[in-house]
Amino acid sequence: MAIASINPVTGEVLKTFEPLTDEELELKLELADRTFATYKHTSFTDRAQWLNQAADILEAKKSEFGIIITLEMGKTLKSAIAEVEKCANLCRFYAEHAPIYLADTPAFTDASRTLIRYQPLGIILAVMPWNFPFWQVFRFAVPCLMAGNVGLLKHASNVPQCALAIAEIFRLAGVPEGAFQTLLIGADRVAKLVADPRVKAATLTGSEPAGQSLAAIAGHHLKKVVLELGGSDPFIVLKSADLDLAINTAVTARVMNNGQTCIAAKRFILEEAIADQFTEKFVEKFKALKVGDPMQSETDVGPLATPQILTELDLQVKASTEAGAKVLVGGYRLPQEGNFYAPTILADIPLGAPPYQEEFFGPVASVFRVKNIGEAIALANSTNFGLGASVWTNDPQEIELAIEQIEAGAVFVNSMVKSDPRIPFGGIKRSGYGRELGIEGIREFVNIKTIWIN
Ligand code: NAP
């Protein structure tokens, strides 16, 4: 894919970029390697100061960055600005908490002193997607820099201006040159980078095929990898739930980011007793969504990021209806310029149709009916994905059952699934492995060194 900013509302090519030559890439690798030798000795105080400075820059220029995000990938400007604010919070949170998460931990043995020390590994490569073009990168970069590692970013090819803006933010914040660099390269250059002995580990957020490809190469070279891949999260609503709250949240959980979120609720699993009531209101709310120019404050749903995503989503909906699913609202691409798809709800989905196994990366909800929590959990677990799950009930036994039995990296009860700087994030099954954020996340890319002193 060419490295280019293309406005998803108009199809206009805003800017194109030449990928780095092999020589330029080598210079950046050399610089990262050299920088690590000194960066690893910087203090938490210095790193925290740089990241607090980065937070100041993000906050001061949030509208400017929000516009870049919206122009490149089409999310609503208000959500783009919120994403930038969230990155600022993340910087401040890790500036304060990373020294605690990475402090020596005592262990209790028969030695006179035993402890665990967390030391940086070196260059960490991040391969990132376009859907949260700031958040995904900061979620990697901030813990990476606080831990004393240096980062190389290969961002998605359709968000180069975001990629360059992020590198510039860290530069202006005072992060030493070479500690964080953006590489404008295509996906075909990733394998060689992973194999390079100077690159110590890699993290990829994106699709399953991309994750498989990177993990295979990293495995061959015995390098650690964190993978944050796709999801088809269940949103289970049981009869004791606060229905109005569940329905309002369901709409947001499905259509936020124009439906292109890994942890979006994608399969709505409803207990029969409330299924009709839920579905009726859910459809009403989908009909009321304003689709259009993401720059306008009244817009709820903007375009999909690329024409390919639009085509793929349309094919998935068609395959579902051909299999016998019913369209309750939407079900078509909008007859206008840009990558717009009508907010859609599918119901009466026959077993084996695409919503049972595939991720729908756009504003398409699939509704399923079940008799009880047992059936709900079985259906929730029947995909290959295992990222997040949202469960709505006020019955303590059902809450416990859901927490215990749902196969996912996160279960949120009476709340939509969120990525929050304070808690670990990641999946199981084909949604990937490893964690970002929280203590667990920041300790993914460190040498957990055991110290035994007799
Ligand atoms: P994608 O095509 O896999 O792209 C993601 C990144 O991987 C891009 O930088 C891409 O580069 C690169 N890439 C693609 N193929 C590669 C390969 N064979 N080897 C190495 N790198 C490769 O994913 P996407 O379509 O942009 O993103 C949507 C997917 O990401 C969805 O499945 C979504 O659920 C998932 N996602 C997961 C999370 C999570 O935290 N679990 C968060 C957000 C998104 P190019 O752009 O140059 O091709």
Side-chain angles (χ1 to χ4, degrees), residues 127-131 136 139 154-157 187 190 204-207 210 213 228-231 262 359 361 387 425:
V127 181
M128 289 290 137
W130 47 266
N131 64 338
Q136 303 288 3
R139 190 168 80 170
K154 181 269 176 277
H155 215 330
S157 293
V190 169
L204 180 141
T205 299
S207 62
S213 157
E228 301 284 4
L229 309 178
C262 53
E359 178 179 35
F361 220 54
L387 198 51
F425 182 96

Side-chain angles (χ1 to χ4, degrees), residues 258-295:
N258 308 339
Q260 304 158 119
T261 306
C262 53
I263 46 167
K266 290 170 186 142
R267 296 176 297 138
F268 295 83
I269 301 175
L270 313 174
E271 191 167 10
E272 252 165 21
I274 49 87
D276 286 337
Q277 206 186 339
F278 183 102
T279 307
E280 197 181 310
K281 289 196 179 155
F282 197 37
V283 170
E284 248 171 52
K285 288 186 183 291
F286 260 54
K287 282 185 180 156
L289 289 168
K290 274 198 174 327
V291 183
D293 182 355
M295 289 291 180

